[in-house]
Amino acid sequence: MLSFTCDYAEGAHPLILKALTDSNLEQLPGYGSDVYCQRAKEKIRQACACPDADIHFLVGGTQTNATVIASLLRNYEGVVAAKTGHIGVHEAGAVEYTGHKVLPVPEHQGKIDPEELRSYLATFFSDANHEHMVFPGMVYISFPTEYGTIYSRAELSAIHGICREYRIPLFIDGARLGYGLESLQSDLDLPALASLCDVFYIGGTKVGALCGEAVVFPRGNAPAHFMTTVKQHGALLAKGRLLGIQFDVLFTDGLYLKIARYAIEMAEQMKGILREKGIPFFLESPTNQQFVILSDTDVKRLSSQVGFDFWEKYDAHHTVVRFATSWATPEENLRRLREIL
Amino acid sequence: MLSFTCDYAEGAHPLILKALTDSNLEQLPGYGSDVYCQRAKEKIRQACACPDADIHFLVGGTQTNATVIASLLRNYEGVVAAKTGHIGVHEAGAVEYTGHKVLPVPEHQGKIDPEELRSYLATFFSDANHEHMVFPGMVYISFPTEYGTIYSRAELSAIHGICREYRIPLFIDGARLGYGLESLQSDLDLPALASLCDVFYIGGTKVGALCGEAVVFPRGNAPAHFMTTVKQHGALLAKGRLLGIQFDVLFTDGLYLKIARYAIEMAEQMKGILREKGIPFFLESPTNQQFVILSDTDVKRLSSQVGFDFWEKYDAHHTVVRFATSWATPEENLRRLREIL
Amino acid sequence: MLSFTCDYAEGAHPLILKALTDSNLEQLPGYGSDVYCQRAKEKIRQACACPDADIHFLVGGTQTNATVIASLLRNYEGVVAAKTGHIGVHEAGAVEYTGHKVLPVPEHQGKIDPEELRSYLATFFSDANHEHMVFPGMVYISFPTEYGTIYSRAELSAIHGICREYRIPLFIDGARLGYGLESLQSDLDLPALASLCDVFYIGGTKVGALCGEAVVFPRGNAPAHFMTTVKQHGALLAKGRLLGIQFDVLFTDGLYLKIARYAIEMAEQMKGILREKGIPFFLESPTNQQFVILSDTDVKRLSSQVGFDFWEKYDAHHTVVRFATSWATPEENLRRLREIL
Amino acid sequence: MLSFTCDYAEGAHPLILKALTDSNLEQLPGYGSDVYCQRAKEKIRQACACPDADIHFLVGGTQTNATVIASLLRNYEGVVAAKTGHIGVHEAGAVEYTGHKVLPVPEHQGKIDPEELRSYLATFFSDANHEHMVFPGMVYISFPTEYGTIYSRAELSAIHGICREYRIPLFIDGARLGYGLESLQSDLDLPALASLCDVFYIGGTKVGALCGEAVVFPRGNAPAHFMTTVKQHGALLAKGRLLGIQFDVLFTDGLYLKIARYAIEMAEQMKGILREKGIPFFLESPTNQQFVILSDTDVKRLSSQVGFDFWEKYDAHHTVVRFATSWATPEENLRRLREIL
């Protein structure tokens, strides 16, 4: 069946499987100290124009978020995030499990507004009782957000400026980073993004890898003994090669961004089809996830022919659903989607 | 260079890579709900003769230990383990990070003695102050242990009996389970092991997989919502297929045990060579890890030609080192090892 | 200076100090096993009409909330609370520090609406992705709330019914319980309250004690080894007598409720004065805390003569402030307040 | 009945009760911001010759240990303690509950040996696998120890020197600090002790207070926002006066040390009596706790006439028991003890 359910429905980009197969019997040291990890890190440093970056490979997104956040917060601090931020909703309380509160601020199509962030921080520190409250110790944003939207360079710059003013780090969850950077609306590239935050991760799982997220501390600013923290969180693979080889391939000849761009092209075609069919959009997303409003009758009728993801109820008779493209979406599938619709 | 450093130096068994490649573009649902995971679970249930087993796939050993232990302990309980148990030494405090103490008992070549365990528990509960202390809430053993030794059926049965008497679960860390079960000394098989504990895991990472550990609750006795606990620990892969496909291959035609047996055969040959060369053993290990005592001069001399692992200082001039075989050790390497020694 | 700042500005009811002094040189066993603790528990059981209640004495409110909540939740569960609930705002993240999320629901003058609670729970369990989210594992309400309001018997009964339907416990934070029960609007007494929840605490600190909160599990339903949990939270006093003696006094001849009623009488007089002076109320509170809206000029002017508590900004030129009475408020102070206003 | 069970069997020094009563109706601000707390801190600073000390009042010992330790450790660090250290044995896992491992080193009558500590640290950092292990992030000692023994100035100086060398803080648990400093064997006073560690606490509960421990960071070196950490641990009293008033009294005219010295005098008399009666000592303790070996017949016989504390089994027919004096032990009781023995 035709599926636009998500961007992790297929395995890995074929070049990754080839590299895993080619290197399979090489004997390599464990825990990320192999040459593939070293090489991948060097290529990521170049792609980000961050020669001093500390880079660590972890396995999945929730794990990466919890590990990075816990490593940066002091015990009395929490992490500020949009109300719809992944860490506050769909990570089963992984951040709280490390002892830290997620401090929600309002969201606008998944994004934090810089002025509202400033106001939140100013209000907190001027509150006479703030020593009885959880301190905002860092800011978390996702790029793109859970609603597919992206921050402009100006917005990101404003948020980063506020964080520096309050001396708290800014962390960007880049589970779908490629799709954000390659969005037609994006005015950011990897070096710009790296310069406008304190730590971010380059999502592999949803952009062509079997698994794997590359955490980047752009200015060599990883907390001391971050590797031990990674181990403590159960996130250190014995066969670190599995991650090193994948990111080595993804950052050879710009593959990561190339396949992300392809997904965006497919998304733009898909948007055209949805628009052409008069299907209303729930919001304007410039990335690979599209959110549309279907009548419940249509949901029922269509779901026997095409896969999509239930998102939320819109009203008594309508539902918001997600159609996603990915690096692996065959163009042919779009033709078939048009026919079905 | 020739290497006997560890059992996670290579990638995966070639059949695993083939299966990953063959299925690569199939669109599958995420988070372990795909058909490969279902099929792998069914095969494991059969191999363990546990038709009702709850099975979950996690990514790595430390993660699995922390997740299983935290899911079974109540807040005021800790986990009893041999002083040399992996959870108490080389997991960066992952268990304590979840809020629980590791309660050490004496070890004998890595093993817990059933009578010492009984005495520990009896002493605890008869201590007038025990309500001020951490309650022993479960028992952890590794099979094989960190020193390559294994429990006999009688020993395991005794330990399990004591656990049942005190109504606390027994958890077996099977990071190298295959090598233990296929040891020439073993009188246990998967069904017997499954019947003599409350939860165990079948280690994939060190026995032919790229990554992955299969947690088995033999009698359908997983704690409620264990999947959410897995997610909370950052251990739930979006592309659950990566684990399902690997375990499906490993449990097809008995591959898992077959490749473990091969590693044992290589280990037996290696033991013969080491004995023949008059190298003293630190202890008698019946599995794929062999611990021998080398003079520091020999350590230095040999290490330019063959890889092995530093274990611990033996005395001022000698060192304990580990030589390990695995499913991937070429027979040819043993011939070369004999020449070098 | 005249002060209505809070209800913990004085020491303890004189009878408590007398009892501490009279018993001072008696040698008593530690950790709550003394006769005063036993006697106090028996009196509380009688006052609550709960002959089987498990009762534990802790020292302060935040500590009590964190200890009770952590003892009842499973690792994958969080606690549902009104957005303004004390545990979610002014406890420095003590609950999250134990690994659990506070799940906010809307508040109405500090209260949870039963229908909104039901809807929250129904929505959660019907969400296709709920296994990736924090499970609602208990409900927390405060009585009276942080805004001085109270639940009626019908409301509490509705909330408790919903909790039973979903099989999750209801916990009532009674930091100011006496002031709630003795409110002129209250249709609840101790036995009724005890029958409509699964655990609650009787606040001592704010109702006449130096410190101390009595946790009541009305039907002998304390979690196993709750005393060890209390110890683990650092909440077990060596000199448990300090708490036992205080609650023994407070529950002799109905002292606890008697002094709470006095505070309510003073509050009613104070409300009359505030109304008479035309000062607008921020909300209608039937207990000892009154919230009024003052112009910033008035705040400045008054604060040199009378103490009150800043609560929150109302608008650009007005502020919400709190005036509180307590068991120790001299009637004379109200006369002086009228003069000043 | 005559009792030498422990040093927390009575209430508080009468001057403390008098001060609580005298100040009872003063209206004071909460959470430790009152004048009594300020005054007590100033007096402690003077007694310690630490004009810049940060001082915080907490309620009990386990709470203080967990709070201080968690505030100083980074997530990947644990606390080194003697195997018999209170935090590792009788605090119900309170430290582990904050996510940190207690790292045991050998004990000698409750004390850490400086050379063994140095060797532990040196071994750790030279271990090739130490990044997979819990880092030693601070050292905990108790003064006096759980066995009543004390460190000499030379020993403490050596331990502190090693800590500085490894740049980890030294924390002294002073639950019975007075009894240690006033021991006839002690060559330390408060200023010396304060200069030889990074944080310590002055135990009130066991030396004359109802409850309360004063944490001293001698050189103004408290972690940022320590008050918020205290609140998060549930250790911040609303009526902070309860602690301030008590320590104000204890540090007026040297009361704290005076009453400790009295307990030591009583202990020396008691030692004389025990020796005279030919009762063997389990170890030589120079403080208020004495550990002797009794036959089980004697234990049975005596326990109907005099209270003492069971410590541990010595052999099949003998038991180690503790006799303790305190600030409140009447001299008359020693005369009666001699008669009974």
Side-chain angles (χ1 to χ4, degrees), chain B residues 150-184:
Chain B
I150 57 172
Y151 292 87
S152 67
R153 184 188 286 248
E155 289 168 332
L156 187 56
S157 189
I159 290 174
H160 191 222
I162 294 163
C163 288
R164 276 187 307 193
E165 198 178 311
Y166 282 92
R167 301 183 180 213
I168 58 180
L170 174 61
F171 170 37
I172 302 177
D173 173 339
R176 295 183 167 96
L177 187 62
Y179 303 137
L181 293 176
E182 291 301 318
S183 160
L184 302 184

Side-chain angles (χ1 to χ4, degrees), chain A residues 10 35 120 178 337:
Chain A
E10 289 90 2
V35 292
Y120 176 87
L337 177 64

Side-chain angles (χ1 to χ4, degrees), chain D residues 51-109:
Chain D
D52 301 324
D54 288 326
I55 299 174
H56 293 261
F57 299 119
L58 280 78
V59 183
T62 295
Q63 179 186 77
T64 302
N65 286 333
T67 305
V68 169
I69 289 169
S71 78
L72 288 174
L73 292 180
R74 280 175 284 191
N75 67 287
Y76 57 91
E77 294 176 333
V79 52
V80 178
K83 250 182 97 160
T84 45
H86 205 254
I87 53 169
V89 184
H90 285 118
E91 301 195 351
V95 169
E96 287 83 2
Y97 194 63
T98 73
H100 299 286
K101 192 181 184 78
V102 179
L103 300 161
V105 291
E107 56 87 28
H108 305 276
Q109 303 196 334

Side-chain angles (χ1 to χ4, degrees), chain B residues 157-289:
Chain B
S157 189
I159 290 174
H160 191 222
I162 294 163
C163 288
R164 276 187 307 193
E165 198 178 311
Y166 282 92
R167 301 183 180 213
I168 58 180
L170 174 61
F171 170 37
I172 302 177
D173 173 339
R176 295 183 167 96
L177 187 62
Y179 303 137
L181 293 176
E182 291 301 318
S183 160
L184 302 184
Q185 270 182 30
S186 174
D187 57 359
L188 286 161
D189 55 12
L190 267 176
L193 187 114
S195 73
L196 291 173
C197 69
D198 299 287
V199 52
F200 68 102
Y201 76 87
I202 302 171
T205 304
K206 285 162 184 165
V207 192
L210 286 168
C211 63
E213 324 293 323
V215 176
V216 182
F217 293 94
R219 290 166 291 282
N221 55 324
H225 303 297
F226 189 70
M227 177 183 157
T228 303
T229 297
V230 170
K231 174 90 182 181
Q232 188 180 48
H233 281 259
L236 189 68
L237 283 191
K239 293 183 178 168
R241 68 197 291 154
L242 171 58
L243 303 173
I245 290 166
Q246 293 189 87
F247 276 97
D248 184 30
V249 170
L250 287 171
F251 280 83
T252 299
D253 299 333
L255 184 64
Y256 184 77
L257 293 177
K258 232 182 270 174
I259 64 178
R261 197 174 316 138
Y262 173 79
I264 292 297
E265 284 162 19
M266 292 304 103
E268 291 295 325
Q269 283 194 27
M270 186 171 71
K271 278 163 84 167
I273 293 166
L274 293 164
R275 238 183 248 118
E276 174 193 324
K277 299 296 176 185
I279 295 173
F281 285 80
F282 177 58
L283 51 73
E284 166 58 25
S285 156
T287 60
N288 73 315
Q289 301 183 86

